[in-house]
């Protein structure tokens, strides 16, 4: 500091200057999805396991249908079906919530990587899941393909690592599981004989197996896409 003739104080030439006040810098919207991917790996594993249990319970009920009929009281094979169905729901609900959160996160990241490359706002990564039929199959697949393409563009020259096959596998198996489940429910609602009921039980068990395959496919899709976005 130095004093002028008028007695006022001024900053000396060698002193530091204060930066002007202003708004703080905007926070980046970019976030790593690896934590959500790890949680989804566990949850999807639980979904697959409960679907396998449900399929086994269905097959067991079919095999004992002649002995127990359609009874579902305590001690009957139908009890295992009821328990496994409850476990399926307990695993599916939190998995769906975390998956949607993860899906929105990777969509936001893709918007940071290439602004304007994907039509519609990032909110559609959440909104599409509330649209029946196409919102559970076609629309998420289209968004996932765009997100994958933008994320893969960050790793030029690594075609083997950026192949979109996990997207198609996930979307295809999940769509097949929805169709199989819907067909089994439709057939069960119209079963009018013991044989038809038995066939409906086997169809439901088959749809559970397809869901288990879809859960495995989803794990590969989630982990590969998360790895693309986390790569330096």
């Amino acid at each position: 500091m130095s004093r002028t003739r008028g007695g006022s104080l001024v900053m000396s030439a060698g002193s530091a200057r204060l930066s002007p006040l202003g708004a703080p810098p905007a926070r980046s919207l970019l976030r790593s999805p690896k934590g959500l991917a790890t949680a989804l790996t566990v949850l999807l594993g639980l979904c697959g396991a409960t679907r396998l249990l449900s399929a086994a319970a269905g097959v067991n009920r079919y095999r004992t249908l002649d002995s127990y009929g359609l009874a579902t009281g305590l001690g009957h094979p139908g009890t295992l079906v009821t328990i496994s169905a409850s476990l399926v729901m307990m695993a599916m609900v939190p998995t769906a919530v975390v998956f949607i959160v993860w899906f929105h996160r990777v969509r936001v990241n893709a918007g940071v990587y290439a602004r304007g490359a994907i039509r519609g706002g990032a909110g559609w990564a959440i909104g599409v899941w509330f649209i029946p039929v196409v919102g559970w199959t076609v629309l998420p697949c289209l968004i996932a393909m765009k997100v994958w393409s933008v994320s893969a563009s960050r790793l030029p020259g690594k075609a083997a690592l950026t192949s979109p096959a996990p997207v198609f596998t996930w979307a295809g198996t999940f769509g097949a599981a929805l169709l199989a489940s819907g067909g089994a429910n439709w057939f069960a609602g119209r079963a009018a004989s013991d044989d038809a009921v038995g066939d409906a039980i086997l169809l439901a068990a088959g749809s559970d197996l397809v869901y288990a395959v879809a859960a495995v496919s989803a794990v590969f899709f989630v982990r590969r896409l998360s790895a693309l976005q986390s790569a330096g």
Side-chain angles (χ1 to χ4, degrees):
M1 304 286 287
S2 61
R3 185 177 296 274
T4 63
R5 292 181 180 179
S8 61
L9 297 176
V10 297
M11 297 290 294
S12 63
S15 62
R17 295 180 178 273
L18 295 177
S19 60
L21 295 177
R27 295 180 60 187
S28 172
L29 295 176
L30 196 63
R31 300 286 187 279
S32 173
K34 293 185 70 173
L36 290 170
T38 300
L40 273 178
T41 300
V42 176
L43 290 171
L44 287 167
L46 289 175
C47 282
T50 56
R51 287 291 182 175
L52 291 176
L53 176 62
S54 181
V59 172
N60 181 61
R61 187 181 183 189
Y62 174 80
R63 293 177 59 187
T64 58
L65 194 59
D66 292 337
S67 301
Y68 291 95
L70 297 178
T72 57
L74 185 64
H76 292 282
T79 304
L80 181 58
V81 172
T82 303
I83 293 174
S84 62
S86 299
L87 292 175
V88 165
M89 290 300 298
M90 291 174 61
M92 186 177 66
V93 171
T95 302
V97 172
V98 177
F99 186 91
I100 292 175
V101 173
W102 171 85
F103 200 64
H104 179 258
R105 168 44 48 201
V106 294
R107 169 60 182 87
V108 171
N109 287 348
V112 175
Y113 298 147
R115 298 187 183 277
I118 305 178
R119 294 181 60 184
W124 278 108
I126 297 175
V128 292
W129 298 101
F130 297 93
I131 303 175
V133 186
V134 294
W136 304 334
T137 51
V138 178
L139 296 181
C141 181
L142 294 177
I143 294 175
M145 282 302 304
K146 288 290 187 178
V147 171
W148 185 282
S149 177
V150 169
S151 303
S153 65
R154 301 173 60 243
L155 301 174
K158 297 184 178 181
L161 297 177
T162 58
S163 169
V167 181
F168 295 121
T169 304
W170 160 69
T173 54
F174 184 61
L178 290 174
L179 288 175
S181 178
N185 291 335
W186 182 89
F187 197 87
R190 287 157 179 77
S193 64
D194 289 344
D195 289 341
V197 170
D199 292 340
I201 292 174
L202 285 182
L203 285 174
S207 70
D208 284 326
L209 291 178
V210 181
Y211 267 114
V213 174
V216 175
S217 300
V219 169
F220 281 103
F221 164 59
V222 167
R223 296 191 68 85
R224 287 290 298 276
L225 181 52
S226 298
L228 282 179
Q229 293 199 346
S230 300

